[in-house]
PDB file of all heavy atoms in Angstrom:
ATOM      1  N   THR A   1     109.853 188.576 142.136  1.00  0.00           N
ATOM      2  CA  THR A   1     110.914 188.130 143.036  1.00  0.00           C
ATOM      3  C   THR A   1     111.057 189.090 144.209  1.00  0.00           C
ATOM      4  O   THR A   1     111.223 188.661 145.357  1.00  0.00           O
ATOM      5  CB  THR A   1     112.255 188.009 142.281  1.00  0.00           C
ATOM      6  OG1 THR A   1     112.086 187.075 141.205  1.00  0.00           O
ATOM      7  CG2 THR A   1     113.372 187.537 143.185  1.00  0.00           C
ATOM      8  N   GLU A   2     110.961 190.394 143.921  1.00  0.00           N
ATOM      9  CA  GLU A   2     111.011 191.391 144.990  1.00  0.00           C
ATOM     10  C   GLU A   2     109.833 191.206 145.952  1.00  0.00           C
ATOM     11  O   GLU A   2     109.997 191.316 147.169  1.00  0.00           O
ATOM     12  CB  GLU A   2     110.988 192.798 144.412  1.00  0.00           C
ATOM     13  CG  GLU A   2     112.248 193.184 143.667  1.00  0.00           C
ATOM     14  CD  GLU A   2     112.105 194.486 142.905  1.00  0.00           C
ATOM     15  OE1 GLU A   2     111.033 195.133 142.979  1.00  0.00           O
ATOM     16  OE2 GLU A   2     113.071 194.863 142.217  1.00  0.00           O
ATOM     17  N   ALA A   3     108.648 190.948 145.396  1.00  0.00           N
ATOM     18  CA  ALA A   3     107.466 190.744 146.243  1.00  0.00           C
ATOM     19  C   ALA A   3     107.619 189.493 147.102  1.00  0.00           C
ATOM     20  O   ALA A   3     107.228 189.487 148.272  1.00  0.00           O
ATOM     21  CB  ALA A   3     106.210 190.650 145.380  1.00  0.00           C
ATOM     22  N   LEU A   4     108.200 188.442 146.539  1.00  0.00           N
ATOM     23  CA  LEU A   4     108.426 187.216 147.321  1.00  0.00           C
ATOM     24  C   LEU A   4     109.423 187.453 148.444  1.00  0.00           C
ATOM     25  O   LEU A   4     109.241 186.950 149.558  1.00  0.00           O
ATOM     26  CB  LEU A   4     108.912 186.086 146.415  1.00  0.00           C
ATOM     27  CG  LEU A   4     107.861 185.380 145.580  1.00  0.00           C
ATOM     28  CD1 LEU A   4     108.525 184.376 144.640  1.00  0.00           C
ATOM     29  CD2 LEU A   4     106.831 184.695 146.452  1.00  0.00           C
ATOM     30  N   LYS A   5     110.472 188.210 148.154  1.00  0.00           N
ATOM     31  CA  LYS A   5     111.460 188.511 149.189  1.00  0.00           C
ATOM     32  C   LYS A   5     110.842 189.326 150.320  1.00  0.00           C
ATOM     33  O   LYS A   5     111.263 189.213 151.466  1.00  0.00           O
ATOM     34  CB  LYS A   5     112.651 189.254 148.591  1.00  0.00           C
ATOM     35  CG  LYS A   5     113.552 188.365 147.773  1.00  0.00           C
ATOM     36  CD  LYS A   5     114.716 189.136 147.207  1.00  0.00           C
ATOM     37  CE  LYS A   5     115.584 188.235 146.352  1.00  0.00           C
ATOM     38  NZ  LYS A   5     116.682 188.976 145.707  1.00  0.00           N
ATOM     39  N   ALA A   6     109.849 190.152 149.967  1.00  0.00           N
ATOM     40  CA  ALA A   6     109.154 190.955 150.979  1.00  0.00           C
ATOM     41  C   ALA A   6     108.086 190.145 151.705  1.00  0.00           C
ATOM     42  O   ALA A   6     107.408 190.656 152.594  1.00  0.00           O
ATOM     43  CB  ALA A   6     108.529 192.180 150.325  1.00  0.00           C
ATOM     44  N   GLY A   7     107.905 188.882 151.297  1.00  0.00           N
ATOM     45  CA  GLY A   7     106.937 188.005 151.946  1.00  0.00           C
ATOM     46  C   GLY A   7     105.521 188.146 151.421  1.00  0.00           C
ATOM     47  O   GLY A   7     104.575 187.674 152.045  1.00  0.00           O
ATOM     48  N   ASN A   8     105.357 188.782 150.261  1.00  0.00           N
ATOM     49  CA  ASN A   8     104.025 189.002 149.698  1.00  0.00           C
ATOM     50  C   ASN A   8     103.805 188.054 148.516  1.00  0.00           C
ATOM     51  O   ASN A   8     103.913 188.439 147.357  1.00  0.00           O
ATOM     52  CB  ASN A   8     103.869 190.461 149.269  1.00  0.00           C
ATOM     53  CG  ASN A   8     102.427 190.848 149.042  1.00  0.00           C
ATOM     54  OD1 ASN A   8     101.563 189.992 148.875  1.00  0.00           O
ATOM     55  ND2 ASN A   8     102.179 192.141 149.026  1.00  0.00           N
ATOM     56  N   ARG A   9     103.486 186.821 148.825  1.00  0.00           N
ATOM     57  CA  ARG A   9     103.311 185.786 147.805  1.00  0.00           C
ATOM     58  C   ARG A   9     102.118 186.079 146.882  1.00  0.00           C
ATOM     59  O   ARG A   9     102.172 185.844 145.689  1.00  0.00           O
ATOM     60  CB  ARG A   9     103.129 184.438 148.495  1.00  0.00           C
ATOM     61  CG  ARG A   9     103.075 183.272 147.563  1.00  0.00           C
ATOM     62  CD  ARG A   9     102.898 181.974 148.378  1.00  0.00           C
ATOM     63  NE  ARG A   9     102.913 180.846 147.502  1.00  0.00           N
ATOM     64  CZ  ARG A   9     103.946 180.048 147.342  1.00  0.00           C
ATOM     65  NH1 ARG A   9     105.055 180.254 148.006  1.00  0.00           N
ATOM     66  NH2 ARG A   9     103.875 179.022 146.522  1.00  0.00           N
ATOM     67  N   GLN A  10     101.033 186.619 147.463  1.00  0.00           N
ATOM     68  CA  GLN A  10      99.839 186.908 146.667  1.00  0.00           C
ATOM     69  C   GLN A  10     100.138 187.980 145.616  1.00  0.00           C
ATOM     70  O   GLN A  10      99.704 187.870 144.471  1.00  0.00           O
ATOM     71  CB  GLN A  10      98.709 187.356 147.582  1.00  0.00           C
ATOM     72  CG  GLN A  10      97.376 187.496 146.875  1.00  0.00           C
ATOM     73  CD  GLN A  10      96.244 187.796 147.843  1.00  0.00           C
ATOM     74  OE1 GLN A  10      96.466 188.066 149.016  1.00  0.00           O
ATOM     75  NE2 GLN A  10      95.033 187.733 147.334  1.00  0.00           N
ATOM     76  N   ARG A  11     100.892 188.991 145.984  1.00  0.00           N
ATOM     77  CA  ARG A  11     101.253 190.037 145.027  1.00  0.00           C
ATOM     78  C   ARG A  11     102.138 189.460 143.913  1.00  0.00           C
ATOM     79  O   ARG A  11     101.967 189.784 142.744  1.00  0.00           O
ATOM     80  CB  ARG A  11     101.962 191.178 145.734  1.00  0.00           C
ATOM     81  CG  ARG A  11     102.436 192.281 144.790  1.00  0.00           C
ATOM     82  CD  ARG A  11     102.922 193.498 145.567  1.00  0.00           C
ATOM     83  NE  ARG A  11     103.703 194.423 144.779  1.00  0.00           N
ATOM     84  CZ  ARG A  11     103.217 195.221 143.848  1.00  0.00           C
ATOM     85  NH1 ARG A  11     101.937 195.216 143.575  1.00  0.00           N
ATOM     86  NH2 ARG A  11     104.017 196.032 143.183  1.00  0.00           N
ATOM     87  N   ALA A  12     103.068 188.606 144.288  1.00  0.00           N
ATOM     88  CA  ALA A  12     103.953 187.996 143.296  1.00  0.00           C
ATOM     89  C   ALA A  12     103.154 187.186 142.281  1.00  0.00           C
ATOM     90  O   ALA A  12     103.384 187.286 141.070  1.00  0.00           O
ATOM     91  CB  ALA A  12     104.992 187.120 143.983  1.00  0.00           C
ATOM     92  N   MET A  13     102.203 186.401 142.764  1.00  0.00           N
ATOM     93  CA  MET A  13     101.376 185.603 141.854  1.00  0.00           C
ATOM     94  C   MET A  13     100.498 186.501 140.981  1.00  0.00           C
ATOM     95  O   MET A  13     100.277 186.210 139.806  1.00  0.00           O
ATOM     96  CB  MET A  13     100.514 184.617 142.647  1.00  0.00           C
ATOM     97  CG  MET A  13     101.319 183.547 143.353  1.00  0.00           C
ATOM     98  SD  MET A  13     102.337 182.567 142.234  1.00  0.00           S
ATOM     99  CE  MET A  13     101.086 181.715 141.317  1.00  0.00           C
ATOM    100  N   GLY A  14      99.993 187.590 141.546  1.00  0.00           N
ATOM    101  CA  GLY A  14      99.185 188.536 140.783  1.00  0.00           C
ATOM    102  C   GLY A  14      99.969 189.195 139.665  1.00  0.00           C
ATOM    103  O   GLY A  14      99.465 189.371 138.550  1.00  0.00           O
ATOM    104  N   ILE A  15     101.207 189.543 139.955  1.00  0.00           N
ATOM    105  CA  ILE A  15     102.073 190.159 138.935  1.00  0.00           C
ATOM    106  C   ILE A  15     102.287 189.194 137.781  1.00  0.00           C
ATOM    107  O   ILE A  15     102.146 189.557 136.613  1.00  0.00           O
ATOM    108  CB  ILE A  15     103.419 190.586 139.558  1.00  0.00           C
ATOM    109  CG1 ILE A  15     103.219 191.772 140.492  1.00  0.00           C
ATOM    110  CG2 ILE A  15     104.442 190.912 138.480  1.00  0.00           C
ATOM    111  CD1 ILE A  15     104.434 192.091 141.350  1.00  0.00           C
ATOM    112  N   ILE A  16     102.623 187.958 138.095  1.00  0.00           N
ATOM    113  CA  ILE A  16     102.872 186.963 137.046  1.00  0.00           C
ATOM    114  C   ILE A  16     101.603 186.691 136.237  1.00  0.00           C
ATOM    115  O   ILE A  16     101.637 186.634 135.010  1.00  0.00           O
ATOM    116  CB  ILE A  16     103.443 185.661 137.654  1.00  0.00           C
ATOM    117  CG1 ILE A  16     104.814 185.923 138.276  1.00  0.00           C
ATOM    118  CG2 ILE A  16     103.513 184.549 136.624  1.00  0.00           C
ATOM    119  CD1 ILE A  16     105.869 186.401 137.298  1.00  0.00           C
ATOM    120  N   ALA A  17     100.471 186.538 136.915  1.00  0.00           N
ATOM    121  CA  ALA A  17      99.213 186.248 136.215  1.00  0.00           C
ATOM    122  C   ALA A  17      98.816 187.396 135.290  1.00  0.00           C
ATOM    123  O   ALA A  17      98.465 187.171 134.127  1.00  0.00           O
ATOM    124  CB  ALA A  17      98.102 185.976 137.227  1.00  0.00           C
ATOM    125  N   ALA A  18      98.869 188.607 135.790  1.00  0.00           N
ATOM    126  CA  ALA A  18      98.450 189.762 134.984  1.00  0.00           C
ATOM    127  C   ALA A  18      99.361 189.971 133.784  1.00  0.00           C
ATOM    128  O   ALA A  18      98.883 190.218 132.671  1.00  0.00           O
ATOM    129  CB  ALA A  18      98.420 191.017 135.853  1.00  0.00           C
ATOM    130  N   THR A  19     100.653 189.859 133.996  1.00  0.00           N
ATOM    131  CA  THR A  19     101.562 190.088 132.876  1.00  0.00           C
ATOM    132  C   THR A  19     101.531 188.945 131.870  1.00  0.00           C
ATOM    133  O   THR A  19     101.758 189.177 130.679  1.00  0.00           O
ATOM    134  CB  THR A  19     103.004 190.324 133.354  1.00  0.00           C
ATOM    135  OG1 THR A  19     103.427 189.231 134.154  1.00  0.00           O
ATOM    136  CG2 THR A  19     103.109 191.617 134.140  1.00  0.00           C
ATOM    137  N   THR A  20     101.236 187.748 132.307  1.00  0.00           N
ATOM    138  CA  THR A  20     101.106 186.639 131.359  1.00  0.00           C
ATOM    139  C   THR A  20      99.948 186.890 130.407  1.00  0.00           C
ATOM    140  O   THR A  20     100.088 186.730 129.188  1.00  0.00           O
ATOM    141  CB  THR A  20     100.915 185.306 132.102  1.00  0.00           C
ATOM    142  OG1 THR A  20     102.069 185.062 132.913  1.00  0.00           O
ATOM    143  CG2 THR A  20     100.730 184.151 131.135  1.00  0.00           C
ATOM    144  N   LEU A  21      98.820 187.296 130.953  1.00  0.00           N
ATOM    145  CA  LEU A  21      97.674 187.620 130.088  1.00  0.00           C
ATOM    146  C   LEU A  21      97.987 188.802 129.186  1.00  0.00           C
ATOM    147  O   LEU A  21      97.642 188.806 128.002  1.00  0.00           O
ATOM    148  CB  LEU A  21      96.436 187.914 130.940  1.00  0.00           C
ATOM    149  CG  LEU A  21      95.833 186.718 131.659  1.00  0.00           C
ATOM    150  CD1 LEU A  21      94.715 187.171 132.584  1.00  0.00           C
ATOM    151  CD2 LEU A  21      95.304 185.720 130.646  1.00  0.00           C
ATOM    152  N   GLY A  22      98.633 189.810 129.731  1.00  0.00           N
ATOM    153  CA  GLY A  22      98.988 190.985 128.933  1.00  0.00           C
ATOM    154  C   GLY A  22      99.937 190.651 127.799  1.00  0.00           C
ATOM    155  O   GLY A  22      99.813 191.188 126.688  1.00  0.00           O
ATOM    156  N   ARG A  23     100.891 189.770 128.057  1.00  0.00           N
ATOM    157  CA  ARG A  23     101.837 189.383 127.005  1.00  0.00           C
ATOM    158  C   ARG A  23     101.141 188.638 125.872  1.00  0.00           C
ATOM    159  O   ARG A  23     101.441 188.857 124.693  1.00  0.00           O
ATOM    160  CB  ARG A  23     102.955 188.517 127.613  1.00  0.00           C
ATOM    161  CG  ARG A  23     103.869 189.318 128.497  1.00  0.00           C
ATOM    162  CD  ARG A  23     104.906 188.519 129.271  1.00  0.00           C
ATOM    163  NE  ARG A  23     105.257 187.249 128.709  1.00  0.00           N
ATOM    164  CZ  ARG A  23     105.283 186.121 129.425  1.00  0.00           C
ATOM    165  NH1 ARG A  23     104.960 186.113 130.691  1.00  0.00           N
ATOM    166  NH2 ARG A  23     105.651 185.001 128.855  1.00  0.00           N
ATOM    167  N   VAL A  24     100.200 187.791 126.205  1.00  0.00           N
ATOM    168  CA  VAL A  24      99.445 187.072 125.172  1.00  0.00           C
ATOM    169  C   VAL A  24      98.645 188.060 124.328  1.00  0.00           C
ATOM    170  O   VAL A  24      98.635 187.979 123.099  1.00  0.00           O
ATOM    171  CB  VAL A  24      98.529 186.008 125.810  1.00  0.00           C
ATOM    172  CG1 VAL A  24      97.580 185.430 124.778  1.00  0.00           C
ATOM    173  CG2 VAL A  24      99.359 184.904 126.444  1.00  0.00           C
ATOM    174  N   TRP A  25      97.980 189.000 124.990  1.00  0.00           N
ATOM    175  CA  TRP A  25      97.200 190.010 124.261  1.00  0.00           C
ATOM    176  C   TRP A  25      98.101 190.881 123.387  1.00  0.00           C
ATOM    177  O   TRP A  25      97.729 191.243 122.268  1.00  0.00           O
ATOM    178  CB  TRP A  25      96.403 190.880 125.230  1.00  0.00           C
ATOM    179  CG  TRP A  25      95.105 190.250 125.600  1.00  0.00           C
ATOM    180  CD1 TRP A  25      94.828 189.531 126.729  1.00  0.00           C
ATOM    181  CD2 TRP A  25      93.904 190.243 124.839  1.00  0.00           C
ATOM    182  NE1 TRP A  25      93.538 189.085 126.708  1.00  0.00           N
ATOM    183  CE2 TRP A  25      92.939 189.515 125.555  1.00  0.00           C
ATOM    184  CE3 TRP A  25      93.552 190.789 123.613  1.00  0.00           C
ATOM    185  CZ2 TRP A  25      91.658 189.321 125.088  1.00  0.00           C
ATOM    186  CZ3 TRP A  25      92.266 190.600 123.142  1.00  0.00           C
ATOM    187  CH2 TRP A  25      91.339 189.870 123.875  1.00  0.00           C
ATOM    188  N   LEU A  26      99.266 191.222 123.862  1.00  0.00           N
ATOM    189  CA  LEU A  26     100.208 192.025 123.082  1.00  0.00           C
ATOM    190  C   LEU A  26     100.577 191.329 121.781  1.00  0.00           C
ATOM    191  O   LEU A  26     100.499 191.922 120.699  1.00  0.00           O
ATOM    192  CB  LEU A  26     101.468 192.296 123.908  1.00  0.00           C
ATOM    193  CG  LEU A  26     102.642 192.928 123.163  1.00  0.00           C
ATOM    194  CD1 LEU A  26     102.358 194.397 122.892  1.00  0.00           C
ATOM    195  CD2 LEU A  26     103.917 192.768 123.948  1.00  0.00           C
ATOM    196  N   MET A  27     100.939 190.060 121.874  1.00  0.00           N
ATOM    197  CA  MET A  27     101.345 189.329 120.673  1.00  0.00           C
ATOM    198  C   MET A  27     100.167 189.105 119.730  1.00  0.00           C
ATOM    199  O   MET A  27     100.296 189.254 118.513  1.00  0.00           O
ATOM    200  CB  MET A  27     102.001 188.004 121.061  1.00  0.00           C
ATOM    201  CG  MET A  27     103.342 188.190 121.719  1.00  0.00           C
ATOM    202  SD  MET A  27     104.188 186.652 122.100  1.00  0.00           S
ATOM    203  CE  MET A  27     103.109 185.934 123.311  1.00  0.00           C
ATOM    204  N   ALA A  28      99.017 188.745 120.285  1.00  0.00           N
ATOM    205  CA  ALA A  28      97.841 188.503 119.444  1.00  0.00           C
ATOM    206  C   ALA A  28      97.403 189.773 118.729  1.00  0.00           C
ATOM    207  O   ALA A  28      97.047 189.742 117.539  1.00  0.00           O
ATOM    208  CB  ALA A  28      96.701 187.949 120.290  1.00  0.00           C
ATOM    209  N   THR A  29      97.440 190.898 119.424  1.00  0.00           N
ATOM    210  CA  THR A  29      97.044 192.167 118.810  1.00  0.00           C
ATOM    211  C   THR A  29      98.004 192.562 117.701  1.00  0.00           C
ATOM    212  O   THR A  29      97.577 193.021 116.635  1.00  0.00           O
ATOM    213  CB  THR A  29      96.973 193.272 119.885  1.00  0.00           C
ATOM    214  OG1 THR A  29      96.032 192.877 120.886  1.00  0.00           O
ATOM    215  CG2 THR A  29      96.548 194.593 119.289  1.00  0.00           C
ATOM    216  N   ALA A  30      99.290 192.390 117.924  1.00  0.00           N
ATOM    217  CA  ALA A  30     100.277 192.726 116.894  1.00  0.00           C
ATOM    218  C   ALA A  30     100.068 191.887 115.638  1.00  0.00           C
ATOM    219  O   ALA A  30     100.069 192.417 114.513  1.00  0.00           O
ATOM    220  CB  ALA A  30     101.690 192.526 117.433  1.00  0.00           C
ATOM    221  N   VAL A  31      99.849 190.597 115.810  1.00  0.00           N
ATOM    222  CA  VAL A  31      99.634 189.705 114.666  1.00  0.00           C
ATOM    223  C   VAL A  31      98.337 190.072 113.946  1.00  0.00           C
ATOM    224  O   VAL A  31      98.292 190.136 112.714  1.00  0.00           O
ATOM    225  CB  VAL A  31      99.626 188.229 115.124  1.00  0.00           C
ATOM    226  CG1 VAL A  31      99.114 187.317 114.036  1.00  0.00           C
ATOM    227  CG2 VAL A  31     101.023 187.811 115.559  1.00  0.00           C
ATOM    228  N   LEU A  32      97.293 190.325 114.699  1.00  0.00           N
ATOM    229  CA  LEU A  32      96.009 190.689 114.106  1.00  0.00           C
ATOM    230  C   LEU A  32      96.110 191.992 113.320  1.00  0.00           C
ATOM    231  O   LEU A  32      95.612 192.087 112.191  1.00  0.00           O
ATOM    232  CB  LEU A  32      94.945 190.803 115.195  1.00  0.00           C
ATOM    233  CG  LEU A  32      93.533 191.147 114.729  1.00  0.00           C
ATOM    234  CD1 LEU A  32      92.983 190.023 113.845  1.00  0.00           C
ATOM    235  CD2 LEU A  32      92.627 191.400 115.908  1.00  0.00           C
ATOM    236  N   LEU A  33      96.762 192.980 113.895  1.00  0.00           N
ATOM    237  CA  LEU A  33      96.880 194.271 113.215  1.00  0.00           C
ATOM    238  C   LEU A  33      97.679 194.184 111.928  1.00  0.00           C
ATOM    239  O   LEU A  33      97.299 194.785 110.923  1.00  0.00           O
ATOM    240  CB  LEU A  33      97.500 195.307 114.154  1.00  0.00           C
ATOM    241  CG  LEU A  33      96.589 195.842 115.251  1.00  0.00           C
ATOM    242  CD1 LEU A  33      97.345 196.794 116.164  1.00  0.00           C
ATOM    243  CD2 LEU A  33      95.363 196.523 114.655  1.00  0.00           C
ATOM    244  N   VAL A  34      98.769 193.438 111.949  1.00  0.00           N
ATOM    245  CA  VAL A  34      99.556 193.333 110.711  1.00  0.00           C
ATOM    246  C   VAL A  34      98.769 192.562 109.651  1.00  0.00           C
ATOM    247  O   VAL A  34      98.858 192.871 108.467  1.00  0.00           O
ATOM    248  CB  VAL A  34     100.951 192.715 110.944  1.00  0.00           C
ATOM    249  CG1 VAL A  34     100.899 191.216 111.120  1.00  0.00           C
ATOM    250  CG2 VAL A  34     101.871 193.046 109.785  1.00  0.00           C
ATOM    251  N   GLY A  35      97.958 191.613 110.067  1.00  0.00           N
ATOM    252  CA  GLY A  35      97.143 190.867 109.109  1.00  0.00           C
ATOM    253  C   GLY A  35      96.016 191.697 108.532  1.00  0.00           C
ATOM    254  O   GLY A  35      95.674 191.566 107.359  1.00  0.00           O
ATOM    255  N   LEU A  36      95.410 192.550 109.352  1.00  0.00           N
ATOM    256  CA  LEU A  36      94.289 193.379 108.888  1.00  0.00           C
ATOM    257  C   LEU A  36      94.741 194.644 108.174  1.00  0.00           C
ATOM    258  O   LEU A  36      94.172 195.018 107.147  1.00  0.00           O
ATOM    259  CB  LEU A  36      93.396 193.757 110.076  1.00  0.00           C
ATOM    260  CG  LEU A  36      92.630 192.613 110.728  1.00  0.00           C
ATOM    261  CD1 LEU A  36      91.886 193.117 111.957  1.00  0.00           C
ATOM    262  CD2 LEU A  36      91.656 191.989 109.737  1.00  0.00           C
ATOM    263  N   LEU A  37      95.731 195.325 108.719  1.00  0.00           N
ATOM    264  CA  LEU A  37      96.157 196.604 108.157  1.00  0.00           C
ATOM    265  C   LEU A  37      97.262 196.462 107.121  1.00  0.00           C
ATOM    266  O   LEU A  37      97.398 197.310 106.243  1.00  0.00           O
ATOM    267  CB  LEU A  37      96.640 197.533 109.280  1.00  0.00           C
ATOM    268  CG  LEU A  37      95.612 197.849 110.367  1.00  0.00           C
ATOM    269  CD1 LEU A  37      96.251 198.700 111.463  1.00  0.00           C
ATOM    270  CD2 LEU A  37      94.391 198.528 109.784  1.00  0.00           C
ATOM    271  N   GLY A  38      98.045 195.439 107.238  1.00  0.00           N
ATOM    272  CA  GLY A  38      99.152 195.232 106.315  1.00  0.00           C
ATOM    273  C   GLY A  38      98.766 194.240 105.240  1.00  0.00           C
ATOM    274  O   GLY A  38      97.958 194.510 104.356  1.00  0.00           O
ATOM    275  N   ASP A  39      99.312 193.076 105.351  1.00  0.00           N
ATOM    276  CA  ASP A  39      99.123 192.028 104.353  1.00  0.00           C
ATOM    277  C   ASP A  39      98.708 190.753 105.082  1.00  0.00           C
ATOM    278  O   ASP A  39      99.259 190.419 106.129  1.00  0.00           O
ATOM    279  CB  ASP A  39     100.462 191.824 103.625  1.00  0.00           C
ATOM    280  CG  ASP A  39     100.433 190.742 102.584  1.00  0.00           C
ATOM    281  OD1 ASP A  39      99.343 190.409 102.095  1.00  0.00           O
ATOM    282  OD2 ASP A  39     101.521 190.221 102.258  1.00  0.00           O
ATOM    283  N   ARG A  40      97.739 190.054 104.529  1.00  0.00           N
ATOM    284  CA  ARG A  40      97.269 188.817 105.186  1.00  0.00           C
ATOM    285  C   ARG A  40      98.380 187.777 105.279  1.00  0.00           C
ATOM    286  O   ARG A  40      98.493 187.055 106.267  1.00  0.00           O
ATOM    287  CB  ARG A  40      96.075 188.240 104.432  1.00  0.00           C
ATOM    288  CG  ARG A  40      94.829 189.097 104.596  1.00  0.00           C
ATOM    289  CD  ARG A  40      93.675 188.499 103.895  1.00  0.00           C
ATOM    290  NE  ARG A  40      93.263 187.302 104.646  1.00  0.00           N
ATOM    291  CZ  ARG A  40      92.163 186.657 104.431  1.00  0.00           C
ATOM    292  NH1 ARG A  40      91.339 187.048 103.485  1.00  0.00           N
ATOM    293  NH2 ARG A  40      91.855 185.595 105.135  1.00  0.00           N
ATOM    294  N   GLU A  41      99.198 187.698 104.236  1.00  0.00           N
ATOM    295  CA  GLU A  41     100.304 186.737 104.261  1.00  0.00           C
ATOM    296  C   GLU A  41     101.317 187.100 105.349  1.00  0.00           C
ATOM    297  O   GLU A  41     101.845 186.222 106.045  1.00  0.00           O
ATOM    298  CB  GLU A  41     100.999 186.684 102.897  1.00  0.00           C
ATOM    299  CG  GLU A  41     102.064 185.613 102.812  1.00  0.00           C
ATOM    300  CD  GLU A  41     102.733 185.537 101.456  1.00  0.00           C
ATOM    301  OE1 GLU A  41     102.288 186.223 100.510  1.00  0.00           O
ATOM    302  OE2 GLU A  41     103.714 184.792 101.358  1.00  0.00           O
ATOM    303  N   ALA A  42     101.569 188.392 105.528  1.00  0.00           N
ATOM    304  CA  ALA A  42     102.479 188.837 106.588  1.00  0.00           C
ATOM    305  C   ALA A  42     101.898 188.486 107.958  1.00  0.00           C
ATOM    306  O   ALA A  42     102.622 188.058 108.863  1.00  0.00           O
ATOM    307  CB  ALA A  42     102.731 190.338 106.489  1.00  0.00           C
TER     308      ALA A  42
END
């Protein structure tokens, strides 16, 4: 939103795209780690 207010639409889209991918990886990694290191049922 700050980038859009500054008139930098490309930066705003880049921020959203990068963090969307990062958020997916964060959740997938957490689930994978608990399944491998903890308990498969968990």
